[in-house]
Amino acid sequence: FIKEGFVSNPDVFAVVSKIAQNFAGVKWEVKQETRNGFEVVTDSELNRVLACPNQLQTWSEFQESAAIMYLLTGNTYINGTEAVGFQGFRELSVLPSQVTAPIVGNEITPIAGYEMQSTEIQKFTTEEVAHIKAFDPRIIGFETLIGLSPLEAAMFVYSANNEQWEAMASMLKNKGAMGIVTSRTDRGMREDDAKSMKEQYRETFGGGKNFGSPMFTGANVDFLQMGMSSTDLQMIEQGVLSLRAICNIYKVSSRLFNDPANSTFNNVQQAEKAMWNDAVIPLLEKFKQRYNSWLAPSFGEEFMLDYDLTGVDALQADAKTRAEVSKMHLESGAISLREYRDINHIQGDLELQERSIQALNGAQVSSMVTVAQNVSEGIISESAGVNILMVSFGLSEDQAKAIIVK
């Protein structure tokens, strides 16, 4: 799947790379459990691992490689390396999925470990490897505990697509054996004359810049056309159908990859949003669950990892709508302040925030939430927001800062 489906196929490469690069560009946060719930921390050992998972990769590069392995093979194997005297993994690395597999155990211990067969066989314990996989409903999936590659379902599609690209390359390089030059006389053309004419043609008209150019000669010769038929040309033009099929496999729109159908600006915007909702976020969720059952607990049960989508332009309209709806629900009492904070990723002292608004009526709460929202969206500065709350509602500086903390 990697050689034929990714390295050799431009459509698979483009689709998988786009999903993986968007996945890799998402910011991740370390959160620690406190009396107010989980709060973002920036100075833990887990933060240091996220900043530099290994000597060869940044966190973004690590995430991209992990996503590409999953999208191509249906499996991602992450190896965690511990250091003596330290809690938690010191390094993380992505193992090559094409040569790594679980060691099947027994009913009590289904997975006895993991094995990587490269230049030599290397074995890992179950604690050293996080295996993230796509479900394989076949019997072989239950027997081997290996995930199903999306490209297995698209094998005929990308194989045919590879043949189409090869045909196009051949046509441009050789013009598809465009025809035969033959003598019009009964005695035919001598071998040395044919060789001389062939060399003259290549020297004068060879190369892409002379594609389709005719050659003239004073000899009594004829030309038999052998160009590609209209049926052959239509076959090559069907490459867009292969692109659409590959996009369907990965739950993205072909509009994002120069499909001429419906490629207006608004359609592309909607396609970007759909890609995030249908392809990127589900992958983020799958990795998040595994990170929080394997990586974060190695540093302490109080830690967890979460991703932050506030920097994703394609989703900002949804974020604004969510903030407005949650604001109305808070004002009506349908949700608590804690729930409002969780929905809008607001940090700070929960008890101080609750004390600050508990004596206010609905209109005052609405005004206060609006100020906090304006600060969060960068419409007004944090200091200006603090001053507005202190003057308008008689809050202390600490109370005001607790309300508008980003």
Side-chain angles (χ1 to χ4, degrees):
F1 301 122
I2 293 177
K3 181 179 179 181
E4 299 296 328
F6 185 67
V7 176
S8 301
N9 190 288
D11 292 334
V12 174
F13 181 89
V15 173
V16 169
S17 295
K18 186 171 183 65
I19 297 173
Q21 287 167 8
N22 279 286
F23 174 89
V26 173
K27 177 184 176 183
W28 285 74
E29 297 175 329
V30 179
K31 295 184 177 180
Q32 187 173 17
E33 189 173 17
T34 68
R35 59 187 178 88
N36 294 321
F38 281 94
E39 299 285 347
V40 175
V41 295
T42 59
D43 58 351
S44 69
E45 290 299 319
L46 181 52
N47 287 100
R48 295 180 179 86
V49 173
L50 296 192
C52 182
N54 59 65
Q55 294 181 357
L56 300 177
Q57 292 178 308
T58 63
W59 175 249
S60 177
E61 293 168 337
F62 168 84
Q63 285 283 88
E64 183 178 0
S65 61
I68 287 176
M69 280 298 179
Y70 180 86
L71 294 169
L72 294 180
T73 68
N75 298 272
T76 294
Y77 300 93
I78 301 175
N79 172 227
T81 304
E82 295 181 328
V84 178
F86 291 91
Q87 183 180 17
F89 296 115
R90 295 294 98 184
E91 283 195 356
L92 303 174
S93 58
V94 177
L95 302 177
S97 298
Q98 64 270 41
V99 295
T100 306
I103 301 173
V104 180
N106 51 43
E107 293 182 356
I108 300 176
T109 308
I111 299 178
Y114 293 89
E115 185 175 82
M116 182 175 71
Q117 299 184 8
S118 52
T119 53
E120 59 182 25
I121 297 177
Q122 187 174 356
K123 294 186 177 181
F124 306 90
T125 66
T126 54
E127 291 79 14
E128 292 175 320
V129 174
H131 182 194
I132 304 168
K133 67 178 182 177
F135 176 66
D136 186 349
R138 301 173 300 179
I139 296 300
I140 191 173
F142 289 91
E143 292 176 343
T144 63
L145 305 178
I146 296 175
L148 174 64
S149 167
L151 290 178
E152 191 160 352
M155 183 181 300
F156 291 114
V157 174
Y158 72 75
S159 295
N161 191 235
N162 286 346
E163 295 292 338
Q164 290 170 346
W165 283 108
E166 185 176 353
M168 291 178 66
S170 176
M171 183 178 68
L172 291 174
K173 182 178 180 180
N174 304 310
K175 204 174 179 183
M178 58 182 290
I180 300 174
V181 177
T182 181
S183 175
R184 285 180 173 175
T185 65
D186 293 336
R187 62 187 180 87
M189 186 184 298
R190 294 188 307 172
E191 183 178 351
D192 56 343
D193 290 337
K195 183 178 180 181
S196 175
M197 187 174 292
K198 181 178 179 181
E199 291 176 351
Q200 181 182 358
Y201 175 84
R202 286 185 172 176
E203 180 180 350
T204 308
F205 299 99
K209 66 179 180 180
N210 293 315
F211 178 78
S213 299
M215 180 181 74
F216 299 93
T217 177
N220 186 19
V221 297
D222 202 357
F223 179 75
L224 304 180
Q225 179 69 40
M226 290 182 58
M228 299 186 73
S229 68
S230 59
T231 302
D232 294 332
L233 292 173
Q234 287 177 1
M235 179 195 70
I236 292 178
E237 291 170 357
Q238 296 306 308
V240 68
L241 298 181
S242 298
L243 169 64
R244 291 171 184 170
I246 291 167
C247 287
N248 286 340
I249 291 290
Y250 286 106
K251 301 181 178 65
V252 298
S253 173
S254 59
R255 298 169 187 169
L256 299 173
F257 303 94
N258 300 318
D259 186 342
N262 301 318
S263 294
T264 65
F265 178 73
N266 287 336
N267 285 337
V268 171
Q269 280 190 317
Q270 290 299 317
E272 285 278 357
K273 176 182 173 182
M275 177 194 66
W276 277 94
N277 288 325
D278 298 337
V280 181
I281 293 178
L283 191 59
L284 286 167
E285 278 294 319
K286 184 179 283 284
F287 273 71
K288 173 185 171 180
Q289 292 175 16
R290 196 68 184 97
Y291 286 156
N292 285 326
S293 65
W294 175 75
L295 175 58
S298 72
F299 292 86
E301 294 298 328
E302 71 275 16
F303 289 104
M304 70 167 288
L305 285 171
D306 198 3
Y307 54 86
D308 180 9
L309 299 176
T310 56
V312 180
D313 293 338
L315 302 176
Q316 290 316 295
D318 287 346
K320 184 175 181 180
T321 301
R322 183 173 62 247
E324 292 172 348
V325 172
S326 61
K327 173 186 171 183
M328 290 189 293
H329 288 166
L330 176 63
E331 294 167 1
S332 66
I335 62 174
S336 66
L337 179 61
R338 181 187 292 273
E339 292 171 321
Y340 175 80
R341 283 160 40 101
D342 291 341
I343 292 172
N344 295 284
H345 307 288
I346 297 174
Q347 305 296 320
D349 192 319
L350 175 63
E351 293 183 4
L352 186 57
Q353 291 174 351
E354 288 178 332
R355 288 199 305 270
S356 300
I357 68 172
Q358 62 185 359
L360 304 176
N361 58 39
Q364 290 172 317
V365 170
S366 176
S367 299
M368 185 177 291
V369 170
T370 299
V371 172
Q373 188 172 329
N374 287 340
V375 172
S376 178
E377 295 176 358
I379 298 174
I380 61 176
S381 66
E382 182 176 344
S383 59
V386 169
N387 290 333
I388 291 172
L389 294 180
M390 290 174 62
V391 173
S392 302
F393 302 100
L395 302 179
S396 68
E397 184 176 357
D398 288 341
Q399 289 175 320
K401 286 182 177 180
I403 293 294
I404 67 171
V405 65
K406 296 181 180 181

